[in-house]
Amino acid sequence: MKGVETIADLRTRCDDARRRGATVGLVPTMGFFHAGHRSLMELARAETDLVVVSSFVNPTQFAAGEDLDAYPRDTERDDAIARAVGVDVMFSPAVTEMYPDGSPTTTVHVAQLTDGMCGAARPGHFDGVTTVVAKLFSIVGPCRAYFGRKDFQQLAVVRRMVRDLDLPVVVVGAPLVRESDGLALSSRNAYLTAPERSAAPALHRALLAAVTRLDAGTRDAASLVDVVRRAVAEEPVLALEYVEVRRSSDLASISELEGEFVIAVAAQVGRARLIDNVVVVIDSSGAVADLGVRVADGPSTAGTS
Ligand code: AMP
């Protein structure tokens, strides 16, 4: 694996690879890898020739008062994980490499899809994400880019940006990876104390309660929201931020449930802001829920006490 720190070096490597007829796979991350990141790298490894992972804690997607400075980092461990998967290039630029003139004056804003859900609580967050992802797409060039369905709104926003701007990138959405007890893997799980870590899977259980309600025939969004709210309220350590039911394709709010939609939640648990979701498809045969996949080998991000 080659460590790359400059935009020019990365651009040259990707251009050279394509000139040789190779395909390029890009996995954008903020580092501190867990099995969710690893699954994206494995997918890119299986589907493309030159696998590039970017590891950049992007300051422009953190609002004032968020955890930019505290965001966990472990580059040695990250390198070992990426190397084991067979990643070809680890791109770890300095902030000054990505933003030599300070905050960029040109930004990418995806309207509508960024309204509500995480966009409501994190002003400017998605502009930071789409701007840095657009920069990465510009540097890497034509590629397949891998994003997790855990950040469902982010995935929908990036897909829309690519469509609207005709960027030469195929966006691939990968399954949400969970701990064996259902907690969605997140670098921020490292913030959880032991009691918070024990309580956190209640967020996933609340989504399962909504799926049970769907299986029983419920077809209105308001009662699903109610079921999730009540389930989360049973666990006092979880401070629910939102529960929303949105159409998958454009994240429009829906009340009558049909086609494909997402039930998405966010909650504050101690210092950690956790998100989770379940994607559901309703057709004539009933409701089919995508609950993601569970890691087979137990928790990979232990809570701290
Ligand atoms: P992050 O480093 O948190 O910015 O995440 C980098 C990429 O990994 C994003 O595309 C995320 O959606 C994805 N990701 C993070 N956690 C998970 C997870 N539990 N399952 C699947 N993908 C994930």
Side-chain angles (χ1 to χ4, degrees), residues 46 62 70 94 152 182 205 232 294 299 303:
F62 288 75
F152 193 86
R205 286 199 301 274
V232 172
R294 295 193 184 209

Side-chain angles (χ1 to χ4, degrees), residues 27-40 54 56 61 71 146-152 154-155 174-179 183-188 293:
V27 182
T29 80
M30 297 204 301
F32 208 67
F33 297 152
H34 50 63
H37 297 112
R38 205 166 57 220
S39 71
L40 299 180
S54 64
F56 180 59
Q61 69 191 67
Y71 198 82
Y146 296 83
F147 292 85
R149 285 202 285 273
K150 160 161 181 265
D151 299 85
F152 193 86
Q154 170 175 279
L155 174 60
L176 194 166
V177 181
R178 303 181 178 283
E179 300 280 16
L183 176 64
L185 284 163
S186 164
S187 304
R188 291 188 167 98
V293 296

